[in-house]
C-alpha cells in the first residue's frame, strides 16, 4: 500500500517484481498477497496475471507520518500547478476563439 502512495495518481501500476522487492516476498506469492488485500477491502484495483501488473485505483486511508504528509503536500502543490496551467490554457484558447 505504501508503494501506491509514493506514486502520482496517474501512475498507480505496479509490477509483481516491484511488489515482491518492497514486500520482501517471493514473486510467486505476490498475486496471493494482492488478492488478499483486494478481498479484505484494503485496496481496490485489478491484477493482470499475464503481464504481472497490478493497477491500484484506491487504497484504504491510514495514519501518515510527517514525511508522508510532506510528500502528499508536494503532490497536491504539483496538482494545483497543473490545474492552474490548464486553466490559463483554456482561458487563452477561449479568448483566441472569441476574437477569431
Amino acid at each position: 500500500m505504501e508503494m501506491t502512495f509514493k506514486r502520482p495518481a496517474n501512475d498507480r501500476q505496479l509490477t509483481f517484481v516491484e511488489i515482491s522487492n518492497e514486500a520482501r516476498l517471493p514473486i510467486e506469492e505476490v498475486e496471493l498477497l494482492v488478492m488478499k488485500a483486494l478481498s479484505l477491502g484494503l485496496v481496490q484495483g485489478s491484477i493482470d496475471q499475464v503481464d504481472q501488473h497490478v493497477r491500484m485505483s484506491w487504497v484504504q486511508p491510514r495514519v501518515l507520518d510527517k514525511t508522508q504528509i510532506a510528500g502528499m503536500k508536494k503532490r497536491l502543490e504539483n496538482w494545483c500547478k497543473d490545474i492552474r496551467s490548464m486553466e490559463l490554457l483554456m482561458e487563452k484558447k477561449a479568448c483566441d476563439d472569441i476574437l477569431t
Side-chain angles (χ1 to χ4, degrees):
M1 291 187 292
E2 179 68 26
M3 294 176 65
T4 306
F5 283 114
K6 291 179 183 177
R7 295 174 174 263
N10 61 351
D11 180 27
R12 297 273 169 90
Q13 184 167 298
L14 309 168
T15 67
F16 280 26
V17 172
E18 291 171 324
I19 296 169
S20 172
N21 291 337
E22 188 77 19
R24 296 184 184 102
L25 283 174
I27 198 162
E28 304 82 35
E29 295 181 24
V30 168
E31 186 177 1
L32 180 60
L33 174 71
V34 175
M35 288 172 51
K36 283 183 181 179
L38 288 165
S39 70
L40 293 171
L42 299 175
V43 297
Q44 292 178 358
S46 59
I47 302 172
D48 182 338
Q49 296 166 315
V50 175
D51 291 332
Q52 294 192 327
H53 284 103
V54 177
R55 174 156 299 284
M56 296 291 180
S57 57
W58 179 85
V59 176
Q60 174 68 40
R62 59 187 173 40
V63 176
L64 304 173
D65 64 26
K66 288 183 180 184
T67 304
Q68 293 167 320
I69 291 171
M72 187 178 292
K73 179 181 180 269
K74 183 165 180 57
R75 286 192 301 272
L76 286 171
E77 288 169 347
N78 289 338
W79 180 69
C80 288
K81 287 177 189 174
D82 290 344
I83 296 295
R84 180 67 181 148
S85 295
M86 183 58 69
E87 178 185 23
L88 293 172
L89 178 68
M90 290 176 69
E91 284 177 8
K92 182 180 182 329
K93 181 70 174 158
C95 287
D96 290 348
D97 287 347
I98 291 171
L99 296 175
T100 55

